[in-house]
């Protein structure tokens, strides 16, 4: 079985930490580099429910997309919810590693997994990484549908293919408009509107869309918008990462047991609607 240091070396090859955004906090949060790893749990969020799931599975390592500490802290006291996570991890010899924006821009990365979940053909990055001569890395993806569909049908596809959440799928645009090209970006995407318009796509699927950016975007152009839950747009990456780690384990003869967390860590718990706008 591999040591933690060997598994982390493979993580760094897949998602080099130097490719993370400067503000990001990626890499290993805790863990003994010499400890053996037999079972890995992959999840979006490093919350207590996920740590408890790792305990039940007997996992030695958790890989998450979101950081535990994105900003500095002065305490890991067990009375705080993040401190409790740290205490539980260390007490039970479970390592935690984060691949965040370095996984967003990877080839393949978070948006490739999102496109795959929606059965879209990836054409190119939405925001190319200028350091990649092959032109495959970068934020978001520009994609094509296998055949044209109405916005209504495309939104229904997203609702069916992505994990269910209380939010569901929100749509801005004419439901009967025809969709041929799609931009996708896992996670919060309303900072990418200029790039999406420049790409000339018919619809942009992302998460965390806010009122004012959406209002302005719909005035700029007939671009349709599909807004899913943040967690739901990034969860497909967990399955992609599991497939990559399984391949690495087979190649090295590690016999790792790799699990994808089914715990829904989207923070919204219910949705109520009158069925008509206020």
């Amino acid at each position: 079985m591999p040591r933690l240091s060997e598994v982390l070396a493979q993580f760094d090859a897949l998602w080099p930490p130097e490719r993370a955004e400067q503000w990001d906090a990626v890499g290993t949060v805790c863990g003994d580099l010499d400890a053996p790893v037999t079972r890995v749990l992959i999840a979006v969020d490093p919350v207590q429910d996920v740590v408890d799931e790792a305990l039940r599975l007997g996992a030695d390592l958790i890989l998450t997309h979101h950081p535990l500490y994105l900003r500095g802290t002065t305490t890991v006291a067990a009375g705080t919810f993040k401190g409790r996570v740290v205490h539980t991890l260390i007490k039970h010899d479970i390592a935690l590693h984060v691949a965040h924006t370095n996984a967003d821009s990877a080839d393949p990365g978070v948006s490739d997994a999102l496109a795959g979940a929606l059965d879209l053909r990836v054409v190119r990055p939405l925001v190319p990484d200028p350091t990649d001569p092959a032109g495959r890395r970068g934020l978001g993806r520009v994609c094509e549908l296998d055949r044209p569909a109405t916005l209504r049908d495309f939104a229904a596809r997203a609702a069916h293919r992505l994990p269910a959440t209380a939010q569901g799928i929100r749509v801005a645009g004419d439901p009967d408009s025809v969709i041929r090209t799609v931009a996708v970006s896992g996670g919060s995407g309303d900072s990418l509107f200029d790039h999406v318009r420049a790409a000339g796509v018919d619809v942009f699927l992302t998460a965390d869309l806010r009122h004012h950016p959406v209002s302005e975007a719909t005035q700029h152009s007939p671009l349709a918008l599909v807004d899913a839950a943040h967690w739901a747009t990034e969860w497909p990456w967990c399955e992609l990462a599991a497939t990559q780690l399984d391949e690495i384990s087979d190649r090295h003869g590690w016999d790792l047991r790799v699990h994808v967390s089914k715990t829904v860590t989207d923070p919204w718990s219910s949705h109520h609607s009158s069925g008509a706008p206020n």
Side-chain angles (χ1 to χ4, degrees):
M1 65 186 69
R3 295 179 300 164
L4 176 62
S5 59
E6 296 175 282
V7 179
L8 296 181
Q10 296 298 320
F11 284 174
D12 286 346
L14 288 172
W15 313 293
E18 63 270 17
R19 291 185 187 148
E21 299 291 333
Q22 288 189 339
W23 52 263
D24 205 0
V26 302
T28 306
V29 177
C30 64
D32 180 350
L33 294 179
D34 290 325
V37 176
T38 60
R39 197 176 296 267
V40 182
L41 178 65
I42 303 177
V44 175
D45 296 299
V47 295
Q48 190 65 42
D49 284 348
V50 168
V51 175
D52 291 342
E53 183 180 1
L55 281 173
R56 292 192 299 270
L57 286 170
D60 315 291
L61 169 61
I62 302 172
L63 168 65
T64 65
H65 183 50
H66 289 154
L68 179 62
Y69 289 103
L70 189 55
R71 298 174 179 83
T73 187
T74 59
T75 178
V76 292
T80 65
F81 80 90
K82 292 189 178 184
R84 182 185 170 206
V85 166
V86 172
H87 276 253
T88 306
L89 291 170
I90 293 175
K91 181 179 179 180
H92 295 278
D93 295 320
I94 302 173
L96 173 63
H97 187 85
V98 174
H100 191 210
T101 53
N102 48 334
D104 287 333
S105 61
D107 171 35
V110 170
S111 292
D112 291 293
L114 175 57
L118 298 171
D119 199 22
L120 303 174
R121 184 175 72 84
V122 173
V123 177
R124 64 183 185 276
L126 177 62
V127 186
D129 180 347
T131 68
D132 177 22
R136 295 178 60 87
R137 294 197 308 266
L139 296 177
R141 294 294 185 266
V142 175
C143 309
E144 295 178 345
L145 275 74
D146 51 357
R147 61 180 60 86
T150 64
L151 176 59
R152 179 186 292 105
D153 288 342
F154 178 72
R157 177 192 297 200
H160 177 69
R161 298 286 184 87
L162 296 180
T165 62
Q167 172 185 313
I169 301 293
R170 301 189 299 177
V171 180
D174 178 359
D176 293 319
S177 60
V178 177
I179 303 301
R180 295 179 176 85
T181 55
V182 184
V184 299
S185 181
S188 303
D190 60 18
S191 65
L192 302 175
F193 277 135
D194 287 343
H195 297 282
V196 173
R197 282 191 289 268
V201 296
D202 300 316
V203 63
F204 179 35
L205 185 147
T206 188
D208 293 345
L209 291 180
R210 296 170 295 162
H211 173 88
H212 291 294
V214 169
S215 178
E216 293 174 5
T218 57
Q219 299 303 310
H220 271 291
S221 73
L223 173 71
L225 302 172
V226 176
D227 181 42
H230 189 123
W231 171 82
T233 63
E234 293 180 331
W235 185 85
W237 172 79
C238 297
E239 292 193 321
L240 169 63
T243 298
Q244 292 175 295
L245 187 52
D246 279 335
E247 188 277 328
I248 289 168
S249 175
D250 290 345
R251 181 162 19 105
H252 290 273
W254 285 348
D255 196 28
L256 287 179
R257 299 292 183 265
V258 182
H259 304 265
V260 173
S261 175
K262 298 299 193 294
T263 301
V264 177
T265 55
D266 184 76
W268 300 105
S269 58
S270 64
H271 174 87
H272 301 270
S273 175
S274 65
N278 293 327

